[in-house]
Amino acid sequence: KRVVSGSEELVKVWDVEAVTQVCKPQGHSGDVNSVGFSPDGKLAATGSDDHLVKIWNTETGAEVCTLKELREHPIAFSPDGKRVVGTQGHGHVTEGRKAMATCDVETGEMVYNSEGSADVSSVAFSSDGKRVVSGAKNKLVKIWN
């Protein structure tokens, strides 16, 4: 059983039962403000003020990929662990970017993007991985196919 934590530029993966630090992935240059595990616990995603989402191996701390299409928080893994959904630019539609994007974890490539609400503050996949729900500060909840 593992816990991932982020603060300042640090990411840490902890073994809850042994109460020990398993690894300390390094690579962000801004405060880490969003973290999430893949369903199998083998990968962790971190979002940072450096405007990058990074995927890490939770055993070794090695960087698996950087998702350049995503821009920090919020982030969530699909139920199969193959995709990550997140926002682009703090959830705002800016600079020709859409508000939300889904990226392939293995390639780091964007597989889908959508015009979500401005200021998206939460995202999640449905249990079958076919839909994404987003919540925004403007009190709108949207479900995407």
Side-chain angles (χ1 to χ4, degrees):
K1 297 183 180 187
R2 302 276 163 89
V3 171
V4 63
S5 65
S7 66
E8 298 176 347
E9 296 172 10
L10 301 175
V11 176
K12 295 180 181 179
V13 179
W14 301 88
D15 181 310
V16 177
E17 292 173 347
V19 193
T20 59
Q21 183 176 308
V22 177
C23 62
K24 185 176 162 183
Q26 296 182 5
H28 280 298
S29 61
D31 289 350
V32 175
N33 47 40
S34 186
V35 297
F37 270 112
S38 62
D40 64 7
K42 294 180 180 179
L43 300 174
T46 57
S48 167
D49 284 344
D50 62 9
H51 304 295
L52 296 173
V53 170
K54 293 183 177 280
I55 307 295
W56 310 94
N57 177 307
T58 59
E59 291 291 324
T60 66
E63 184 179 324
V64 175
C65 70
T66 297
L67 305 177
K68 295 178 181 172
E69 294 296 331
L70 301 182
R71 296 285 191 245
E72 61 189 272
H73 61 282
I75 50 177
F77 275 93
S78 62
D80 63 7
K82 294 181 178 180
R83 294 170 290 147
V84 171
V85 65
T87 61
Q88 297 178 314
H90 300 291
H92 299 288
V93 180
T94 56
E95 300 172 19
R97 292 184 176 272
K98 306 283 185 165
M100 293 188 332
T102 303
C103 292
D104 183 284
V105 171
E106 289 183 16
T107 67
E109 298 296 317
M110 181 169 49
V111 293
Y112 177 78
N113 66 6
S114 62
E115 296 237 4
S117 303
D119 293 322
V120 173
S121 56
S122 60
V123 292
F125 276 94
S126 61
S127 60
D128 63 6
K130 294 181 180 178
R131 291 184 216 76
V132 172
V133 64
S134 65
K137 292 179 183 176
N138 62 1
K139 302 179 185 174
L140 287 179
V141 174
K142 293 187 178 184
I143 299 173
W144 308 89
N145 286 324

